[in-house]
Amino acid sequence: MFSIGKLFKRVLPQTLLGRSLLIIVSPLILLQIFSTWVFFERHWDTVAIRLARGLAGDIAATMVLLRENPGPKGREAAFTFATTHFQVRGSFKEKAILKNATPRPNAGRLERVLRKALSDRTKRPLVIDADSFDRDVIIDIQLPDGVLHLIAPRKRLFTSTTYLFIGLMVGSSLILFAVAMVFMRNQIRPIRRLAAAADALGKGRDVEVFRLQGATEVRQAATAFNRMRDRLQRQVSQRTEMLAGVSHDLRTPLTRMKLQLAMLGDTPSAQELKADVAEMERMVEGYLAFARGEGSEPVTRTNLRDLVEDVVAAARRAGNMVDFTAEGDLTLSVRKEGLRRCISNLVSNATQYGTRAVVSTIRKPDFIELTVDDDGPGIPEKMHETVFRPFARLDQSRNVETGGVGLGLTIARDMVHAHGGEIALSDSPLGGLRARIRLPV
Ligand SMILES: Nc1ncnc2c1ncn2[C@@H]1O[C@H](COP(=O)(O)OP(=O)(O)O)[C@@H](O)[C@H]1O
Ligand SMILES: [Mg+2]
């Protein structure tokens, strides 16, 4: 359904800047329209009527002169007088009869006003032509013995202050608009920066302390944001520190258990214990890798093709079927080891849960895209978010076969976000899962 509300939403500006400008500018325009209307209705009309009456008076005077000075000589003198004193040039057509002396229905404002003024003064049939010439208005008046033909300058009927006034209005509103725009932009910039910082924090990137700036409300929001950011970072670091501590402490007794198991010999129960201990060790290594993070590693120019080839080669050595294709220039600045772990987590998931993996890397205009496909069971759409959570596993058994601790995707996502990239899961054309990474170049 197409409703008015939706239409409004579509037409009205979406940004804060656009909206605040609209709030400032629309009353301004309304005010201008209103005052222009008042100006035209009152002032301009009055002025036009007075000017027309002035000209009509002069024409009436010329007619009196003509009447009192009959004959060609007298007319000559009267017209000379009118030209010098009234700026109205005249001529006389003897015995002529005026046609079409009725008012034109589509006459302009000027013509109407002038006709009224002239009719009031002269009480004679007349024809006004205000359209044929730019600078002049032609007036023909029927006199008893012929037609009086007059050319009056348009200037006498028109004031240029009208245009001046409109120009002033439009000019001043444009200036006002520009000033408002500059000031509003400055007010809105800190809000935009805050939004960008919040977005980055939400995506798990490192965010600097936000500098306080702008209006009180924005500063309040910024202070709250900084506090939230600090608390988040403290919580995350406390958690990872604890995890690192626990994992590290578990290592020592695990090593001792391994030694004792080695001395126990090869009974079936000892073997089971050994497998359990090996699994525990792998888990502890996983926790440690997660807790350590790769945050401190420096960024280097790396060719992603080589990096992915390494990972793929390692997976093939472990007996997996992995295809690899790469397209375009794949060099970018990354934390190499971190990214290697990230990609290898995805590849090992694909080989663990499927029988075949396809890795492809392609250069797009603004980013490099890496996809890992497999032919395994895939992940149902509604679990796509869940599996990124730490320790989230769909396979509850934690068995040795698929043995992981549910940190692989978490580490991968952290790493991608630390590079300003995105990671997403979808269904693969191979039938299993597709993991897609986009890294900005
Ligand atoms: N390629 C895949 N195919 C099917 N399921 C997958 C795939 N990758 C990950 N998963 C599911 O997502 C869960 C989380 O993966 P991950 O974070 O790598 O942890 P782990 O592999 O250690 O279990 C896995 O337990 C598995 O259930
Ligand atoms: Mg995994």
Side-chain angles (χ1 to χ4, degrees):
M1 263 297 286
F2 201 78
S3 67
I4 296 197
K6 266 194 201 144
L7 181 73
F8 261 115
K9 257 193 198 140
R10 196 116 60 83
V11 173
L12 293 182
Q14 297 296 313
T15 61
L16 188 54
L17 182 65
R19 286 184 178 188
S20 22
L21 284 178
L22 193 71
I23 292 170
I24 297 170
V25 168
S26 35
L28 202 78
I29 289 176
L30 280 181
L31 183 73
Q32 304 249 312
I33 290 174
F34 180 70
S35 43
T36 310
W37 178 72
V38 168
F39 176 82
F40 269 97
E41 268 315 284
R42 308 299 316 237
H43 175 78
W44 197 78
D45 240 22
T46 317
V47 171
I49 290 171
R50 294 222 177 122
L51 286 172
R53 279 190 191 149
L55 183 65
D58 288 352
I59 288 173
T62 311
M63 280 161 67
V64 170
L65 273 177
L66 283 173
R67 203 178 325 132
E68 282 173 6
N69 300 283
K73 271 266 162 61
R75 267 186 229 131
E76 186 95 2
F79 285 140
T80 315
F81 185 85
T83 312
T84 41
H85 294 282
F86 307 145
Q87 294 152 336
V88 177
R89 283 165 287 151
S91 57
F92 191 71
K93 287 181 208 141
E94 226 153 335
K95 306 238 162 20
I97 303 286
L98 208 53
K99 275 177 273 172
N100 306 326
T102 43
R104 294 193 297 139
N106 56 344
R109 194 186 181 91
L110 190 133
E111 198 173 315
R112 265 184 286 129
V113 172
L114 183 59
R115 172 176 286 278
K116 170 136 194 350
L118 276 171
S119 301
D120 285 354
R121 287 301 290 261
T122 64
K123 308 246 177 346
R124 289 205 174 268
L126 48 92
V127 172
I128 297 172
D129 175 6
D131 303 323
S132 299
F133 300 98
D134 268 352
R135 302 169 141 267
D136 295 314
V137 179
I138 314 291
I139 305 158
D140 288 299
I141 304 176
Q142 180 74 61
L143 298 185
D145 48 351
V147 169
L148 175 60
H149 181 72
L150 296 168
I151 306 171
R154 191 182 285 270
K155 271 206 302 235
R156 289 214 45 186
L157 293 168
F158 202 75
T159 66
S160 54
T161 39
T162 315
Y163 291 131
L164 195 74
F165 180 77
I166 293 178
L168 206 74
M169 294 268 246
V170 173
S172 61
S173 27
L174 281 182
I175 291 174
L176 222 84
F177 183 74
V179 171
M181 178 122 149
V182 169
F183 278 92
M184 283 316 289
R185 260 247 282 279
N186 284 341
Q187 289 304 306
I188 286 165
R189 191 172 303 133
I191 302 180
R192 278 214 190 115
R193 285 186 41 228
L194 188 60
D199 184 50
L201 187 72
K203 286 181 179 151
R205 291 179 199 148
D206 266 349
V207 182
E208 284 172 27
V209 172
F210 197 77
R211 195 155 45 87
L212 292 186
Q213 203 184 45
T216 318
E217 289 86 348
V218 182
R219 280 164 194 266
Q220 270 168 5
T223 313
F225 173 80
N226 283 337
R227 246 183 243 136
M228 183 176 80
R229 171 190 160 277
D230 288 345
R231 221 172 63 118
L232 266 175
Q233 279 183 349
R234 218 173 27 243
Q235 254 174 16
V236 167
S237 66
Q238 271 171 5
R239 236 196 17 222
T240 43
E241 269 165 32
M242 193 183 85
L243 190 60
V246 170
S247 311
H248 192 264
D249 292 350
L250 278 177
R251 258 177 166 180
T252 325
L254 264 176
T255 318
R256 268 206 306 273
M257 281 162 83
K258 249 167 52 182
L259 281 175
Q260 281 164 353
L261 273 172
M263 290 190 288
L264 264 185
D266 251 358
T267 62
S269 55
Q271 221 140 44
E272 261 171 46
L273 260 176
K274 265 183 199 162
D276 278 348
V277 168
E279 197 189 337
M280 276 176 82
E281 243 193 327
R282 237 202 353 269
M283 285 175 169
V284 167
E285 288 306 323
Y287 300 150
L288 268 175
F290 174 64
R292 260 200 309 271
E294 240 74 32
S296 49
E297 192 192 343
V299 171
T300 51
R301 278 311 271 181
T302 309
N303 190 344
L304 202 64
R305 189 190 299 256
D306 299 341
L307 193 79
V308 180
E309 242 160 26
D310 277 1
V311 174
V312 169
R316 283 181 185 149
R317 271 199 302 279
N320 296 304
M321 210 159 74
V322 187
D323 289 343
F324 174 49
T325 59
E327 251 177 70
D329 173 19
L330 300 177
T331 44
L332 75 174
S333 299
V334 288
R335 299 188 176 119
K336 204 171 164 183
E337 289 315 311
L339 200 63
R340 185 200 302 278
R341 180 187 301 283
C342 159
I343 296 168
S344 112
N345 283 354
L346 296 181
V347 173
S348 75
N349 276 355
T351 53
Q352 250 169 35
Y353 300 102
T355 57
R356 180 172 160 237
V358 178
V359 185
S360 55
T361 320
I362 182 165
R363 166 72 191 236
K364 294 279 170 76
D366 310 328
F367 53 85
I368 289 176
E369 187 175 276
L370 178 138
T371 51
V372 181
D373 287 289
D374 66 60
D375 58 353
I379 298 179
E381 164 112 45
K382 64 179 196 306
M383 303 302 284
H384 284 181
E385 268 301 307
T386 320
V387 287
F388 281 113
R389 292 201 200 127
F391 309 109
R393 305 202 63 224
L394 301 186
D395 175 11
Q396 292 300 328
S397 63
R398 290 194 191 240
N399 61 29
V400 189
E401 288 276 293
T402 59
V405 289
L407 285 171
L409 288 174
T410 316
I411 293 173
R413 187 183 57 179
D414 283 356
M415 215 58 230
V416 171
H417 283 175
H419 285 91
E422 293 163 16
I423 183 166
L425 301 179
S426 58
D427 291 336
S428 166
L430 295 185
L433 185 75
R434 161 172 285 182
R436 192 198 64 204
I437 293 179
R438 282 183 175 167
L439 296 170
V441 286

